């Protein structure tokens, strides 16, 4: 094999994901979807997101409608107004959204992979017809309530209860750290019943439901996160998701959302690396661009290698998902690796920008701060290590 020699040894720059020509492995339709989402992010998110982040609020409803118009909500689901795209295309969309901001990607993930997926997979035909089309259009916003103040990594011990009263269900308890809760029209709530964990579709306007924004977040500030209080919330019998039996139902929903995170985290990392590359080639110290220093190049090279390894992993998982063989522990491999590496890349890029790295004028510390949440939600790194460990050893460390 001979290396190409038709390019000068200097002045030829390549962006990290171009190094291995991985674009060539995508189908034309996948590239088109990716480009449309990238353009949406460039026009609708990038110019504003630093301000949203600083203010601690994003125009969630407007964004949802725009995402809905492009078919990004419940994009990988079929029927009921959903786009029916491939898992790979959905992953690419998550990557582009998170290159804008993890909070913006979270909006699409929670809507599509958690709230809509729960109804699509476990709901009755009537529930699907009622909720999915307006959710796919972004006119109705959903959230997914599993975590509680005292029960995070261990949802099996949840305290929220649903008891029967005649044919009705009555829900009591509380959910914490719920993305979109303060702006949501509907929540999928998981509660303990006499027959184990069950899921309920709860309109947020139901008497006894209250949502409160969680303030002073230092991460995912361009995303709405809230607490949900359920005080003797009376629901008709048909509010229960009939096909959701036991904790495996919400855990299966989480696997869907984690798959999107495998891709999304790479978007945040890519944006950091592009920013650091641009900065390093123009910022001069000691009379030359800092990109010319070997220590800087070592950082850039290592980050580019990790980014591409993560991308290859995401491509592989995407292809497994599209043939229907993706297993939860494989998603754990992707979530653990890609979020951990994305966070390391974001922090390393921060060093390349020096003092400017801590400024909101650049996206790098915003991405790093966001990735702290991404590392924790949808299963912490430790929980994914334990999932992989259980698969390797046959011994569960936490069940
Ligand atoms: C911004 C944001 C948005 C979120 N959105 C949602 C949402 O929409 N819906 C929802 O239901 N939840 C949501 N969450 C909650 C999230 O899923 C939980 O925070 C997460 O599951 C961890 O739970 P916890 O915070 O209670 O931490 P804990 O479970 O208390 O864990 C604390 C630490 O202990 C470790 N730990 C726990 N158990 C073990 C063990 N067995 N072995 C080793 N280490 C262990 C953890 O890994 C972690 O490091 C969100 C969180 C954030 C930050």
């Amino acid at each position: 094999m001979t290396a190409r020699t038709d390019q000068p040894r200097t002045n030829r720059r390549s962006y990290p994901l171009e190094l291995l020509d991985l674009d060539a492995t995508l189908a034309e339709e996948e590239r088109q979807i990716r480009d449309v989402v990238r353009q949406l992010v460039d026009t609708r998110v990038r110019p504003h997101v630093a301000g949203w982040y600083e203010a601690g609020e994003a125009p969630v409803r407007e964004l949802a409608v725009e995402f809905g118009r492009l078919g990004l909500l419940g994009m990988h689901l079929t029927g009921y107004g959903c786009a029916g795209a491939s898992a790979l295309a959905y992953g690419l969309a998550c990557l582009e959204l998170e290159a804008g901001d993890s909070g913006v990607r979270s909006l699409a993930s929670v809507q599509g992979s958690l709230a809509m997926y729960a109804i699509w997979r476990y709901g009755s035909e009537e529930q699907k017809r009622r909720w999915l089309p307006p959710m796919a259009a972004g006119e109705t916003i959903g959230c997914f309530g599993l975590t509680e103040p005292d029960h995070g990594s261990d949802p099996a011990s949840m305290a929220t209860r649903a008891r029967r009263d005649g044919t009705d269900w009555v829900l009591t308890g509380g959910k914490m750290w719920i993305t979109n809760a303060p702006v949501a029209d509907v929540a999928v709530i998981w509660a303990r019943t006499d027959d184990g964990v069950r899921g309920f579709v709860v309109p947020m306007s139901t008497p006894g439901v209250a949502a409160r924004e969680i303030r002073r977040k230092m991460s995912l500030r361009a995303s709405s996160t809230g607490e949900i209080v359920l005080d003797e919330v009376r629901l008709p019998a048909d509010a229960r998701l009939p096909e959701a039996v036991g904790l495996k139902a919400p855990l299966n929903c989480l696997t869907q959302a984690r798959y999107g995170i495998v891709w999304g985290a790479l978007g945040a990392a890519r944006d950091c690396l592009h920013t650091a590359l641009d900065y390093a080639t123009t910022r001069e110290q000691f009379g030359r661009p800092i990109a010319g220093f070997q220590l800087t190049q070592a950082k850039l090279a290592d980050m580019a290698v990790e980014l591409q390894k993560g991308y290859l992993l995401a491509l592989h998982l995407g292809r497994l998902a599209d043939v229907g063989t993706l297993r939860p522990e494989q998603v754990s491999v992707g979530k653990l690796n890609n979020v951990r590496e994305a966070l390391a890349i974001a922090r390393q890029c921060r060093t390349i920008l020096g003092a400017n790295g801590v400024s909101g004028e650049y996206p790098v510390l915003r991405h790093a701060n966001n990735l702290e949440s991404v590392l924790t939600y949808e299963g912490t790194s430790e929980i994914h290590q334990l999932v992989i460990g259980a698969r390797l050893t046959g011994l569960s460390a936490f069940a």
Side-chain angles (χ1 to χ4, degrees):
M1 192 199 304
T2 50
R4 282 178 59 173
T5 53
D6 56 343
Q7 296 291 342
R9 290 185 60 229
T10 57
N11 297 334
R12 182 170 179 269
R13 286 188 48 203
S14 202
Y15 276 113
L17 287 179
E18 293 161 6
L19 269 180
L20 294 182
D21 293 337
L22 294 176
D23 233 23
T25 68
L26 301 178
E28 182 55 31
E29 193 193 353
E30 291 162 351
R31 274 196 291 269
Q32 280 172 5
I33 290 173
R34 186 225 23 220
D35 291 346
V36 166
V37 183
R38 187 177 291 178
Q39 196 184 8
L40 173 81
V41 169
D42 283 346
T43 55
R44 192 61 188 90
V45 177
R46 248 177 233 289
H48 311 289
V49 67
W52 299 339
Y53 195 88
E54 200 167 351
E57 52 190 35
V60 175
R61 286 203 163 269
E62 290 161 39
L63 287 174
V65 169
E66 289 182 52
F67 291 177
R69 210 175 285 138
L70 283 184
L72 299 179
L73 302 175
M75 174 177 173
H76 57 313
L77 307 180
T78 49
Y80 309 97
C82 303
S86 68
L88 192 53
Y90 171 59
L92 290 165
C94 288
L95 189 155
E96 295 303 328
L97 289 173
E98 196 149 351
D101 189 84
S102 304
V104 170
R105 195 267 309 142
S106 297
L107 163 60
S109 288
V110 169
Q111 177 86 349
S113 289
L114 290 178
M116 288 175 72
Y117 179 82
I119 296 170
W120 183 84
R121 172 69 181 77
Y122 299 110
S124 65
E125 187 58 30
E126 194 191 336
Q127 287 168 332
K128 293 179 200 181
R129 283 178 202 264
R130 174 175 175 195
W131 293 107
L132 293 179
M135 290 175 88
E139 290 154 6
T140 294
I141 295 186
C143 64
F144 182 92
L146 180 64
T147 304
E148 301 184 351
D150 295 330
H151 308 280
S153 300
D154 180 19
S157 54
M158 69 175 67
T160 298
R161 285 203 61 89
R163 64 177 162 81
R164 293 245 52 169
D165 185 16
T167 58
D168 288 351
W169 288 97
V170 179
L171 268 60
T172 305
K175 299 291 173 178
M176 192 69 179
W177 292 107
I178 307 304
T179 302
N180 290 347
V183 290
D185 304 291
V186 62
V188 171
I189 297 287
W190 301 94
R192 177 183 305 287
T193 71
D194 288 342
D195 294 325
V197 171
R198 295 289 185 270
F200 297 85
V201 183
V202 182
M204 294 298 278
S205 57
T206 311
V209 179
R212 180 183 70 82
E213 183 85 36
I214 296 176
R215 301 273 170 206
R216 297 189 178 166
K217 261 186 314 173
M218 306 305 282
S219 171
L220 279 196
R221 291 180 55 76
S223 168
S224 175
T225 317
E227 177 184 7
I228 300 176
V229 176
L230 302 153
D231 182 12
E232 295 283 304
V233 177
R234 183 169 290 275
L235 299 167
D238 63 6
R240 187 171 74 78
L241 292 169
E243 306 299 326
V245 178
L247 196 62
K248 66 179 187 296
L251 295 184
N252 183 30
C253 298
L254 291 179
T255 299
Q256 307 297 315
R258 289 165 180 169
Y259 168 78
I261 293 172
V262 171
W263 286 90
L266 297 172
R270 187 193 69 190
D271 198 51
C272 291
L273 194 42
H274 283 189
T275 304
L277 268 168
D278 288 343
Y279 189 88
T281 48
T282 54
R283 171 76 176 174
E284 294 195 359
Q285 289 295 288
F286 301 96
R288 52 194 292 209
I290 59 171
F293 297 125
Q294 292 179 1
L295 289 176
T296 309
Q297 289 195 5
K299 291 180 185 177
L300 294 169
D302 285 350
M303 290 190 286
V305 168
E306 284 308 325
L307 184 65
Q308 285 168 105
K309 283 157 66 180
Y311 191 76
L312 282 167
L313 176 55
L315 280 173
H316 176 63
L317 298 185
R319 292 190 173 124
L320 292 181
D322 278 327
V323 294
T325 62
L326 184 62
R327 297 196 304 269
E329 74 271 16
Q330 294 172 326
V331 178
S332 286
V333 172
K335 204 250 178 191
L336 174 65
N337 181 77
N338 286 10
V339 180
R340 192 165 60 183
E341 294 306 325
L343 183 55
I345 288 172
R347 288 174 178 157
Q348 187 71 286
C349 287
R350 216 288 304 149
T351 69
I352 292 177
L353 270 72
N356 281 323
V358 305
S359 166
E361 298 297 325
Y362 294 87
V364 176
L365 194 59
R366 172 169 54 80
H367 282 307
N369 283 352
N370 282 340
L371 287 165
E372 295 287 350
S373 286
V374 181
L375 193 75
T376 286
Y377 71 19
E378 314 291 355
T380 64
S381 294
E382 293 79 6
I383 292 300
H384 290 294
Q385 286 173 319
L386 296 181
V387 169
I388 297 165
R391 182 71 188 184
L392 291 174
T393 62
L395 301 169
S396 173
F398 63 99

